[in-house]
Amino acid sequence: MTLIRLEKISRRYQMGTELVHALREVSVEIQRGEYVAIMGPSGSGKSTLMNLVGCLDSPTSGRYELNGTDVSQMDDNQLAEVRNREIGFVFQTFNLLPRSNALHNVELPLIYGGMGGVERRRTALEALAQVGLADRVHHRPNELSGGQRQRVAVARALVNNPSILLADEPTGNLDSKTGTEIMALFEDLSRKGNTIIVVTHEEEIARHARRILRIRDGLIASDELIGAAAAS
Amino acid sequence: MNFFTELREGLSISFAAIRANKMRAALTTLGIVIGIVTVTLMGTAIEGLNRSFMQSVSTLGADVLYVSRQNWITRSHAEWLLMMKRRPISIDQYRALEKQSPFALAVAPTTEDGMSVKFKNRRSDSVDVIGTTEAYLLTSGVGLMEGRFLTAAEAEGGRPVCVIGSQVATNLFIREPALGSRITVGPRTFEVVGVLETQGSMLGMNSLDNRVIIPLRQFTTWIWNNPDLDIAVKVKNVVELEDAREELRHVMRRIRHVAPGEPDDFSINQQDQFVEMFHRVAGTIGAIGLFITGLSLFVGGIGIMNIMFVSVAERTREIGIRKAIGAKRRTILLQFLIEAASICLLGGLIGLAVAWPVTLVIQKFLPATMSFTIVGIALLVSLVTGVLSGFFPAWRAARMNPVDALRAE
């Protein structure tokens, strides 16, 4: 089943006097349950693509259907709702709220989704247990290691049962050991049926995925499926 | 999203933010504290002034018309000079008026002079000595603490008796009973037959208790032979005060032989005139005072706005995170509005806590109390200041583009 359908998506920015074509009529489809890596050098347009897929930004032209709904013409508030329901973000710099503990960070999407207190707490605790942090729920981000912070971020991304887990350089700020741990966690989540999109410039990280999209100069340069054996 | 969840979340975020920047919050709050203190004190003082005035004026009585040679309130020097040229109101005119006033419940002539009164070796200076009749009891509405007032027979002549104010009583009599003692007023002595209830003072100036009331006949015999009278006319029905006033004017014109077409050569005063003038003056003073003190609150509000802009800029990334996770514009807006309002409300509460003891000091001069109205208004004003000055920064935060906000350092 098609989860993401991009049709001739373009995104242009005005940078001073110059018009930048970050994406040029990109068309791509991603099915539910896929594990996709988006690769490309900096300035290739991969971040723009991620922002569009994550509904953080709207295309200049083209059509974006997410889960059968056209989201390319939505306004700010509607997009916020879509992000809350459909997308879980994992960022390179974790982007946890520094003054809130792990539990509250994970509860946040549920608060914005309007879930009541008791159920919210239970759901958030479950999500934290799922990433192996059941004993760290009252720690603040600065009391956690990098790997633990990223796990909190993954728990926050998953707590709403989103359609897509969207990770932007998820291992960029981690040492290789914890990076491997996080990728193993993704592997596990993918096996459980989650749709995962990872944006990275590291070939090794991309190799964990089943499909690699390479972006160059705002266009899709290649789109390859890789074997399950190659992922290990 | 549930509004109350949003509100609670907003409150907890803003308290965390205030806790994280205690010094900054304290300094910002100071502006609001000063603003609220000055506004509250000004409001309290104005209210105290009003109350003091109304207490004083109410001794005049709303249903009493005062006929005198002059207006109580003159608008110019020329007007005053003109009124000084008018003929005095004589005792004969008073008697004529009394006979021709069916609308009056009581007509009391009064005349007064300031002098010293003595008892044994004690004296009281600048005492208002008032010559009047038994009707004064009705027109002034004053009560007696002990003894009785003058009788009609005494007013007409007869015995030299007097009624004294409470201040005179405490000044002259220490151990001796006031009633039955003889005090010296001017050239002769008067027997005290009554002591008036304490009345306080007129606008904090001349005390209404520092007075001695003697019969009019005694006054004209021993003090002034041809006094200029003021005549207090208490009307039967306060509802018909305006009709009574008009009738009184006609009677007075007839008595004083004012030709038709000529202007009145006397004035009819009433409490309203005082009240009206006072409200005009007090309104102006109040408006100017509140404007000036309001400026300090305004400056405090600008401080809040400034610090909220800083707060929004500092937390750009946080705003980005919240938006990415699904916070709508309204949620972000509310979060920062609550923060600004909390700071201001805190300032308002501290301001009230500071203003309260100061009010107790003011109470020594004015009957001022910090009323619930003022407390309510002060809190409301600080809340509104917070919301207004927080709105622009909060709006900027709410409209942030999540992509840019997330990229911020």
Side-chain angles (χ1 to χ4, degrees), chain A residues 51 56-57 76-77 80-81 83-84 89 91 93 95-97 99 104 108-109 111-115 120 156, chain B residues 1-2 5 8-9 16-17 20 315 317-318 321-329 331 401-403 406:
Chain A
N51 289 338
L56 289 167
D57 198 4
D76 245 31
N77 285 330
E81 234 169 275
R83 286 196 295 271
N84 185 255
F89 288 97
F91 299 96
T93 50
N95 279 347
L96 299 174
L97 297 185
R99 284 196 289 266
H104 190 254
L108 209 55
I111 291 175
Y112 292 145
M115 191 185 278
R120 187 171 76 215
R156 181 181 67 185
Chain B
M1 166 172 174
N2 186 316
T5 323
R8 238 202 5 237
E9 173 73 5
R315 282 147 73 190
R317 199 185 180 88
E318 177 191 321
I321 297 170
R322 288 181 186 276
K323 287 202 138 191
I325 287 170
K328 291 180 190 161
R329 283 187 175 182
T331 316
N401 173 352
V403 175
L406 277 170

Side-chain angles (χ1 to χ4, degrees), chain A:
Chain A
M1 180 198 165
T2 305
L3 182 62
I4 295 170
R5 177 180 287 134
L6 301 181
E7 278 172 38
K8 295 189 172 174
I9 289 283
S10 293
R11 183 68 172 97
R12 295 184 288 274
Y13 302 101
Q14 193 73 42
M15 287 271 272
T17 55
E18 208 179 338
L19 194 64
V20 179
H21 292 264
L23 288 177
R24 302 164 191 263
E25 303 208 329
V26 169
S27 297
V28 70
E29 282 189 14
I30 294 172
Q31 308 301 312
R32 188 175 287 281
E34 273 196 280
Y35 187 174
V36 183
I38 298 175
M39 291 200 70
S42 52
S44 60
K46 67 175 192 301
S47 294
T48 306
L49 182 61
M50 190 207 77
N51 289 338
L52 286 171
V53 170
C55 294
L56 289 167
D57 198 4
S58 300
T60 315
S61 66
R63 183 181 165 85
Y64 173 19
E65 268 178 37
L66 173 63
N67 232 346
T69 318
D70 181 9
V71 298
S72 40
Q73 303 301 323
M74 283 185 171
D75 69 19
D76 245 31
N77 285 330
Q78 290 170 316
L79 285 177
E81 234 169 275
V82 172
R83 286 196 295 271
N84 185 255
R85 257 197 340 263
E86 306 281 359
I87 295 159
F89 288 97
V90 175
F91 299 96
Q92 177 175 1
T93 50
F94 320 132
N95 279 347
L96 299 174
L97 297 185
R99 284 196 289 266
S100 303
N101 62 24
L103 179 63
H104 190 254
N105 265 292
V106 176
E107 272 185 300
L108 209 55
L110 302 176
I111 291 175
Y112 292 145
M115 191 185 278
V118 180
E119 195 189 353
R120 187 171 76 215
R121 198 182 156 84
R122 190 181 49 73
T123 313
L125 286 171
E126 265 171 28
L128 279 164
Q130 212 186 335
V131 297
L133 283 177
D135 54 342
R136 292 281 189 276
V137 295
H138 294 299
H139 289 56
R140 289 188 181 191
N142 60 5
E143 298 161 334
L144 297 168
S145 71
Q148 287 170 333
R149 284 185 217 180
Q150 199 59 302
R151 281 167 190 273
V152 174
V154 172
R156 181 181 67 185
L158 291 173
V159 75
N160 254 2
N161 279 324
S163 303
I164 315 166
L165 182 68
L166 197 55
D168 182 13
E169 305 278 9
T171 59
N173 274 20
L174 300 174
D175 59 52
S176 57
K177 184 170 166 288
T178 39
T180 313
E181 275 173 35
I182 292 293
M183 291 323 289
L185 182 60
F186 279 23
E187 196 81 27
D188 192 34
L189 293 169
S190 170
R191 259 200 300 278
K192 286 177 183 162
N194 290 286
T195 310
I196 301 177
I197 299 174
V198 177
V199 176
T200 184
H201 63 272
E202 285 181 67
E203 197 66 38
E204 203 185 318
I205 298 298
R207 288 270 144 210
H208 287 80
R210 311 278 181 274
R211 177 180 171 192
I212 300 180
L213 281 174
R214 291 180 201 274
I215 312 285
R216 188 176 294 267
D217 300 329
L219 295 166
I220 294 179
S222 74
D223 183 354
E224 55 179 316
L225 289 171
I226 52 181
S232 60

